[in-house]
Amino acid sequence: MGGSSNRVNIFKDIPDLENSLPISGQTMEPLQIHKVSCPKGKKTLQTLKQELGEVFFPDDPLHQFKNQSFLRKLALALQYLFPIFQWGSEYNLQLLKSDAISGLTIASLAIPQGISYAKLANLPPIIGLYSSFVPPLIYSVLGSSRDLAVGPVSIASLVMGSMLREAVSPDKEPTMYLQLAFTATFFAGVFQASLGFLRLGFIVDFLSKPTLIGFMGGAAIIVSLQQLKGLLGIVHFTTKMGFVPVMLSVFKQRTEWAWQTVILGFCFLCFLLITRHIGLRRPKLFWVSAAAPLTSVILSTIIVFGLKGHSHGIQTIGKLQEGLNPPSANMLYFRGSYLGLAIKTGIITGILSLTEGIAVGRTFASLKNYQVDGNKEMMAIGLMNMAGSCTSCYVTTGSFSRSAVNYNAGSKTAVSNMVMASVVLITMLFLMPLFFYTPNVILSVIIITAVIGLIDFSSAMRLWKVDKLDFVACLSAFFGVLFISVQIGLAIAVGISMLKILMHVTRPSVVILGKVPGTMSYRSLGQYREAARIPSLIILGIESPIYFANSMYLQERILRWVREEEERAAKMMESNIKCIVLDISAVTAIDASGIDALLELKKALNNRSIQLVIANPVAGVAEKLNLSEAWEKLGSECIYMRVCEAVVAVSSMLKGQQGQP
């Protein structure tokens, strides 16, 4: 094949300024024209194994087992499956002291948040405490993050509550609603664990950060508006989640506003916002904001009890069931008309909770310079949700607010989750009667304070500066959640993410290149204004793989470049275009449609007496061109290792043709 030729042409008068520096007193080496070589062919199974390995096993998890004894392999396998064995062997009292302090601190936040988020999901408050007991214990054994604090979260609670409530009323059919919540949690866990087991974690990455910023911002506002029911003491409130229905319901029910509830709620809202501000401005005082929710619960309960506020229209939680999590495996709903709803709710809440949990875990792992295995995290979160669905828990994951408190409190290992779960256990066994007089308004205030941090104005403004399309995606998700519904907003977010991927795939960037003075480098004319065109040549850079989805576009776009450059050359009275040089160094892959498009482009250019030259194909592209015989059809003499070599060779050839009689 022509591609395997090692022939070298030497142009003595042109220095290779890209590989050598001009040093006074030294003679410059002549530029050498290298023919591109094709990589050594691989067997089909070998190629398939390598490609699948890169897709599913980029971290090479079996590397640690190489050259190890059987017992050592067994120990490593246990550590891989159960990370607790990895750090547990080195655990000591000093670590326990740090974890105990962290666990007690996050427990003070987890207890009121658990009760509040269960209310957000239209579930009994006790379910929130159940969900803060069993899942953290399971994660402590299976999870790879040292800082992730596990429990219910606002977004997953909101989505589950809004989706299930559309079909089943939690007030009229509480048992069926509870069954669907547990079943959705089970399917969320199955979906999450399956992604981890099959190593398909990259699917979660389709939720881009801009769409998540918009979605979470819109959801945070919806969550806050929903809490106006508790904040104002309204009894009859809309079940819809949109901005307009909620605001209409608020003002229609003005007669139900209770001034006692309003005063109590706004006082504690100001208190929580002030403590939150202190925690953000002075990280060393994190405990102020961490302890504020539990402090609010205690103080508000004492106030309502002392002033007999429940007799003056202030609604309270009432009696909560005492004791451990009752089994709920018999309540899982696997047949009937609502099964599809449970599966859909489970998958959506599973994706959201998984995205949040992994993002939070990786964030704090980077601060402490250790690695979090994404696939193991998916399996850990999935298994804890599956187990939770059988022990009266609903969807849980790593919470950003509790994890931040856990990190600032000095947590060292996942034992902090065990300590938190132990405190929740003591609360469920002995302290439940103390919540009888806790006002509902304080739960609404805690939720509002917690979700305010999800509204990220600075990131949205940064998107506007950096990428207008990302900003549009962010706004679309935001307004979709705010004015239509949470589910539609999420669908818009996913749809825009997919649309952006399709746009980048189907409409890749093609730039015209010019020579940067004083170098042999060729760069975009749009980026480097000093770069100059080469007479009679068009040098184009393709900045994307060439697939069936974009091959026709690239062919048409290149022919358009030819037309535009010919019109420009005629207007400037320059020489006609004789050659197109394609820099495909950024083309990381090509398929059969892409190869056919190159051959069709060559035919179209030949009909116009224009030569097609290719520069710098990567190994994978060169191999496919060789295997498809396109290498011979394109002409091995028209494929060069660098753009500068292609330009020199083509320019010399054109000069030779002009010199012929």
Side-chain angles (χ1 to χ4, degrees):
M1 297 295 291
S4 61
S5 171
N6 292 319
R7 179 175 60 86
V8 174
N9 295 332
I10 299 179
F11 292 80
K12 298 181 179 180
D13 298 329
I14 303 178
D16 183 5
L17 296 182
E18 193 170 46
N19 291 332
S20 59
L21 296 174
I23 303 175
S24 59
Q26 292 186 355
T27 305
M28 303 300 295
E29 294 184 2
L31 178 67
Q32 298 179 346
I33 307 298
H34 300 81
K35 305 304 289 186
V36 178
S37 298
C38 288
K40 184 179 179 181
K42 298 178 181 178
K43 296 180 180 180
T44 304
L45 289 178
Q46 183 182 5
T47 303
L48 184 62
K49 179 181 177 182
Q50 181 178 354
E51 290 181 353
L52 291 177
E54 289 299 319
V55 172
F56 297 106
F57 302 97
D59 54 342
D60 191 15
L62 299 179
H63 176 74
Q64 59 180 330
F65 296 98
K66 293 179 181 178
N67 303 320
Q68 300 290 342
S69 64
F70 174 76
L71 291 178
R72 180 58 180 164
K73 287 181 179 179
L74 183 61
L76 290 173
L78 285 174
Q79 291 178 2
Y80 182 79
L81 295 174
F82 304 100
I84 190 172
F85 288 113
Q86 187 172 357
W87 52 263
S89 59
E90 302 174 356
Y91 204 73
N92 54 46
L93 288 176
Q94 187 64 32
L95 295 176
L96 178 60
K97 179 182 176 181
S98 299
D99 289 334
I101 295 173
S102 301
L104 291 171
T105 307
I106 58 176
S108 67
L109 184 61
I111 292 171
Q113 280 191 351
I115 296 173
S116 303
Y117 292 158
K119 176 175 172 287
L120 190 60
N122 303 310
L123 293 168
I126 189 63
I127 301 296
L129 289 182
Y130 290 160
S131 303
S132 301
F133 172 54
V134 173
L137 293 176
I138 296 174
Y139 182 83
S140 300
V141 176
L142 299 175
S144 59
S145 173
R146 304 171 194 168
D147 301 282
L148 202 66
V150 173
V153 292
S154 58
I155 296 300
S157 302
L158 171 68
V159 172
M160 174 174 283
S162 62
M163 292 185 69
L164 295 182
R165 190 169 186 169
E166 288 184 355
V168 178
S169 171
D171 301 318
K172 297 178 181 179
E173 301 177 87
T175 304
M176 175 58 70
Y177 188 90
L178 201 57
Q179 283 183 296
L180 292 179
F182 293 150
T183 307
T185 300
F186 176 80
F187 282 112
V190 170
F191 177 73
Q192 293 165 334
S194 299
L195 288 183
F197 181 76
L198 299 175
R199 305 187 72 82
L200 298 175
F202 57 86
I203 292 177
V204 178
D205 296 334
F206 280 97
L207 276 176
S208 64
K209 186 174 181 180
T211 55
L212 280 177
I213 291 172
F215 171 77
M216 289 188 174
I221 292 178
I222 289 295
V223 169
S224 300
L225 292 176
Q226 281 286 322
Q227 303 319 303
L228 290 176
K229 175 185 178 181
L231 194 60
L232 301 175
I234 298 174
V235 178
H236 302 92
F237 199 69
T238 180
T239 59
K240 297 181 180 179
M241 304 295 292
F243 176 83
V244 175
V246 169
M247 295 309 297
L248 286 175
S249 180
V250 168
F251 288 103
K252 278 184 179 180
Q253 307 299 336
R254 290 192 303 273
T255 56
E256 294 185 2
W257 292 12
W259 65 268
Q260 300 94 332
T261 302
V262 172
I263 292 175
L264 184 67
F266 275 97
C267 287
F268 278 100
L269 180 61
C270 292
F271 170 70
L272 288 174
L273 290 176
I274 291 171
T275 56
R276 180 178 180 272
H277 181 72
I278 293 172
L280 291 175
R281 292 294 298 269
R282 299 190 177 183
K284 290 184 179 180
L285 298 177
F286 70 91
W287 55 270
V288 174
S289 59
L294 186 59
T295 304
S296 300
V297 169
I298 295 171
L299 290 177
S300 63
T301 302
I302 294 173
I303 291 172
V304 171
F305 176 75
L307 300 178
K308 296 183 179 181
H310 59 287
S311 302
H312 298 282
I314 298 179
Q315 302 171 30
T316 60
I317 293 178
K319 185 177 180 180
L320 294 178
Q321 181 180 342
E322 298 180 57
L324 293 174
N325 297 33
S328 57
N330 60 326
M331 297 184 68
L332 297 181
Y333 183 92
F334 292 128
R335 67 181 71 177
S337 57
Y338 295 125
L339 180 58
L341 173 64
I343 294 174
K344 182 173 70 173
T345 304
I347 291 175
I348 292 177
T349 55
I351 291 175
L352 287 174
S353 58
L354 199 60
T355 302
E356 181 174 356
I358 292 177
V360 172
R362 286 176 174 171
T363 298
F364 291 105
S366 64
L367 295 176
K368 288 189 176 179
N369 196 28
Y370 68 91
Q371 295 295 321
V372 168
D373 189 323
N375 288 294
K376 281 201 287 188
E377 286 295 283
M378 291 176 194
M379 292 185 67
I381 294 174
L383 290 173
M384 79 179 185
N385 277 318
M386 290 171 66
S389 68
C390 300
T391 52
S392 300
C393 304
Y394 77 107
V395 174
T396 54
T397 187
S399 164
F400 183 81
S401 59
R402 289 192 292 275
S403 298
V405 170
N406 195 32
Y407 171 82
N408 288 322
S411 68
K412 301 300 181 183
T413 68
V415 170
S416 59
N417 275 298
M418 297 181 182
V419 175
M420 178 192 72
S422 301
V423 176
V424 172
L425 172 62
I426 294 171
T427 302
M428 291 191 298
L429 289 176
F430 306 109
L431 304 180
M432 299 309 291
L434 299 179
F435 290 97
F436 185 90
Y437 291 103
T438 300
N440 286 333
V441 64
I442 207 64
L443 303 182
S444 298
V445 168
I446 290 172
I447 291 174
I448 292 173
T449 310
V451 300
I452 281 178
L454 298 176
I455 305 174
D456 195 346
F457 289 108
S458 59
S459 293
M461 295 309 299
R462 187 163 59 249
L463 289 176
W464 170 257
K465 294 179 182 179
V466 175
D467 192 322
K468 301 298 188 291
L469 183 60
D470 277 345
F471 181 75
V472 171
C474 176
L475 281 187
S476 300
F478 176 80
F479 288 116
V481 172
L482 203 58
F483 291 104
I484 306 176
S485 70
V486 175
Q487 302 95 289
I488 297 299
L490 179 61
I492 291 173
V494 175
I496 291 175
S497 297
M498 297 298 294
L499 179 62
K500 185 179 178 182
I501 294 172
L502 288 174
M503 287 182 63
H504 283 298
V505 170
T506 60
R507 294 295 182 266
S509 176
V510 181
V511 295
I512 188 166
L513 308 179
K515 182 175 180 293
V516 179
T519 73
M520 293 299 287
S521 297
Y522 291 80
R523 298 292 183 265
S524 170
L525 294 176
Q527 182 180 3
Y528 295 86
R529 297 182 180 180
E530 68 274 18
R533 289 178 168 85
I534 305 299
S536 302
L537 272 69
I538 302 177
I539 307 171
L540 298 176
I542 301 176
E543 300 178 342
S544 166
I546 304 177
Y547 292 125
F548 65 92
N550 62 23
S551 57
M552 289 304 300
Y553 166 78
L554 286 173
Q555 184 178 342
E556 294 170 356
R557 188 68 184 87
I558 291 170
L559 292 175
R560 177 183 160 191
W561 272 117
V562 173
R563 185 185 73 243
E564 292 175 353
E565 284 300 299
E566 285 180 336
E567 292 174 353
R568 188 198 63 80
K571 184 178 180 180
M572 302 295 294
M573 300 184 67
E574 296 177 355
S575 55
N576 295 330
I577 303 300
K578 299 295 184 183
C579 180
I580 302 290
V581 179
L582 291 184
D583 179 9
I584 61 172
S585 57
V587 178
T588 55
I590 191 170
D591 65 1
S593 299
I595 293 172
D596 291 340
L598 285 180
L599 296 176
E600 289 295 326
L601 178 63
K602 180 176 176 62
K603 290 179 182 178
L605 293 175
N606 286 342
N607 292 335
R608 303 173 69 163
S609 300
I610 298 176
Q611 184 180 4
L612 176 64
V613 169
I614 293 175
N616 201 7
V618 299
V621 173
E623 181 182 11
K624 290 190 176 181
L625 291 175
N626 190 9
L627 293 174
S628 65
E629 299 182 357
W631 195 280
E632 293 179 343
K633 295 177 182 178
L634 291 171
S636 60
E637 70 281 358
C638 295
I639 303 176
Y640 294 87
M641 191 166 66
R642 294 184 296 168
V643 174
C644 61
E645 296 179 14
V647 171
V648 169
V650 171
S651 299
S652 300
M653 179 190 67
L654 294 177
K655 288 181 181 179
Q657 291 176 353
Q658 291 175 359
Q660 293 179 358

